[in-house]
Amino acid sequence: MECKLVPSICSYCGTGCGLLFEVIDDQIVNTLPMKTHPVNEGKLCIKGWNLHEHVNSFLRLKQPLIKTFGRFIKADWNEAIGLAADRFRNIIDQYGPDSVGVLVSAKITNEENYLAQKFARAVIGTNNVDHCARL
Amino acid sequence: MGDCHYLYGNYMTIKRITFLQELLTFLGLEGRIHLAWISSAEAQKFVQVVTDFTEKVRALGPNPLPTFSHNKKAALSSVLGRGMGKTPGSSPPEPALQEVYP
Amino acid sequence: MQDTVKAWLENGTIDVFLGYKKVDNHPLPHCFTKARLEELEDLVVSPDRYPLEKIATHMTTAKPEVKIGMLARDCTQRALNVLYIWNQLDPEKIQTLNVNCCPSPLKEKADCSYLRPATVGDYKKEKGVNNAALLEQLSEYGQEERLGRWMYEFQKCIKCYGCRNICPVCFCKECSLEHEDLIKTGALPPEIPVFHLIRAVHMAGRCIDCGLCEEACPMDIPLRLLYRKVNDIVAQVFDYKTGTSASQSPFNILGDSVTLEPKPIQLTGTDS
């Protein structure tokens, strides 16, 4: 039996409330607000309180799906990334880099969000980056 | 007491109702809940209790809760009232209060 | 303190110990185990309280045979008693290490996050209910004013469910506060005062007055005061003091030990 309380920052919005994940046997089971965190002082909103729920959700995608003839077909990563890259190339060549926008998510980590904006600016060449929880 | 068809039902009822009466009094809704033991053979008593309680509730006036739940401002203005929180022109018209009793 | 826990972990009295560890000056709840005894040097008694009992309940749900030790304040003791009554924890598998708590003539050096002086703004004083008020002070208001003041407090609610989520004695898998028919989804504030009263009624004979709900409330609703009143009623009507012993709550026992009588209808003098 192992129980860890892992301090983290809420990823839902730009406020940055401190919270603790209750990890029992490598499963996140609960979220608690961090009492001593200067931002939220032991309080959370309903989204923060339920932050642990999407981690182990059965609704999560575990492999890429490619939409072919209106239906999502399971595919492997190389195929999916290859297809996405080809289509991006075509679109950028035809309409310019500003025809692409990158919308990132609150449910991925800070580092992944950073990578996504780097991808938009350095690889695609556009400033069209936004985040669903931009306050 | 103890004659309940559901054996202990009325013991649980009186515990809960007594508790609820105290709690509602604390919140400021005194006298709006009443409990009486009336068997199915006591038609006269039933009529009497219902009549008395209806009279009492009528004397208390309409249920004040809808004024709070339908209108946030009412909660603010109710205590010291006198139309606080109203900014002329900018606020939408306040919803009409629900008439509980005609 | 460290030595006791070390001895317990080494001789197998407990498998894990729930206490607080200082991480970058933040006292955080931490689970000490036999495998990492050296961490015990950082074991502290934190002035900021977390619901350790709740973590213990989660651990027991995951693995019922685990033996847990924990740092226990007075509120933790009361919470444990309630959890024993409701069969959420087994008293044989819990070891407590008692630490100092709320102030009393016996315990002068108290340390508890609830002791920080509460600050109440002028507006709240005028329109709402002072969190630090005593029950007697509230009964001085008339019926109408009391209702208005409580409703002012309730309509601030942002329905974060924090009070329920942090509550050490809330363990139900299905919560009435999430029931579609009782509380509609998507409305703010939640249906007042029903939302708060459902919780208050469920706290009767269960609330152990730890004050964590009020600490977790982002809108500063005087929940502790409300639940204190609820338990006050239980103490006066049923002579039951929640959490002080492992005896059943009056709402739990079926039986004929009731001496209550229905109250008569009072046609006059409603404002008492």
Side-chain angles (χ1 to χ4, degrees), chain B residues 11-12 14-15 19 22-23 25-30 34-35 37 56 64-65 68 72 75-76 80 84, chain C residues 123 127 143 146-147 150-152 155 197 204 229 233 238 250-251 253 255 260 262-263 265-266 270 272:
Chain B
Y11 291 124
M12 298 309 282
I14 194 161
K15 283 180 189 175
F19 168 78
E22 294 281 331
L23 179 61
T25 305
F26 176 66
L27 288 169
L29 287 168
E30 197 181 5
H34 179 66
L35 176 70
W37 305 133
K56 185 187 178 185
L65 287 181
F68 298 105
K72 245 186 168 182
L76 297 170
L80 300 146
M84 59 154 283
Chain C
Y123 193 78
K127 302 284 190 309
Q143 286 278 312
R146 224 182 305 161
L147 180 68
W150 275 111
M151 293 305 269
Y152 163 75
Q155 55 86 31
L197 288 191
K229 175 63 192 180
I233 299 170
F238 305 105
F251 291 103
I253 334 165
L260 300 166
K263 288 181 185 168
I265 299 176
Q266 294 169 327
T270 51
S272 62

Side-chain angles (χ1 to χ4, degrees), chain A residues 72-132:
Chain A
F72 285 107
I73 313 266
K74 284 180 183 172
D76 68 19
W77 283 103
N78 284 336
E79 193 187 347
I81 293 171
L83 182 79
D86 288 348
R87 292 285 294 131
F88 271 131
R89 185 80 263 161
N90 290 344
I91 292 166
I92 292 167
D93 286 347
Q94 202 174 342
Y95 303 103
D98 277 342
S99 58
V100 180
V102 175
L103 187 64
V104 285
S105 162
K107 293 187 190 70
I108 59 176
T109 63
N110 249 350
E111 291 74 15
E112 285 164 333
N113 275 323
Y114 175 81
L115 283 176
Q117 69 83 28
K118 206 70 182 168
F119 170 74
R121 297 207 167 106
V123 179
I124 295 176
T126 177
N127 280 327
N128 299 338
V129 194
D130 209 345
H131 187 280
C132 70

Side-chain angles (χ1 to χ4, degrees), chain C residues 153-262:
Chain C
E153 294 292 343
F154 291 158
Q155 55 86 31
K156 293 190 295 186
C157 180
I158 60 164
K159 209 180 173 190
C160 70
Y161 286 95
C163 46
R164 181 204 62 182
N165 289 347
I166 203 148
C167 182
V169 292
C170 265
F171 50 76
C172 303
K173 281 199 173 124
E174 267 180 45
C175 182
S176 316
L177 295 179
E178 285 172 11
H179 198 287
E180 289 275 320
D181 298 339
L182 291 172
I183 308 288
K184 279 189 222 102
T185 50
L188 267 187
E191 219 165 304
I192 54 168
V194 176
F195 184 88
H196 301 87
L197 288 191
I198 291 176
R199 211 183 117 70
V201 170
H202 286 196
M203 282 295 110
R206 220 194 267 202
C207 176
I208 42 100
D209 196 30
C210 63
L212 283 172
C213 46
E214 198 172 304
E215 272 181 25
C217 182
M219 302 316 286
D220 216 17
I221 301 171
L223 293 167
R224 192 181 193 182
L225 195 62
L226 179 64
Y227 304 148
R228 195 181 276 165
K229 175 63 192 180
V230 166
N231 261 349
D232 193 49
I233 299 170
V234 174
Q236 282 181 9
V237 179
F238 305 105
D239 195 25
Y240 176 76
K241 297 212 166 48
T242 312
T244 48
S245 68
S247 62
Q248 294 285 337
S249 139
F251 291 103
N252 202 29
I253 334 165
L254 297 170
D256 49 2
S257 60
V258 184
T259 49
L260 300 166
E261 282 295 322

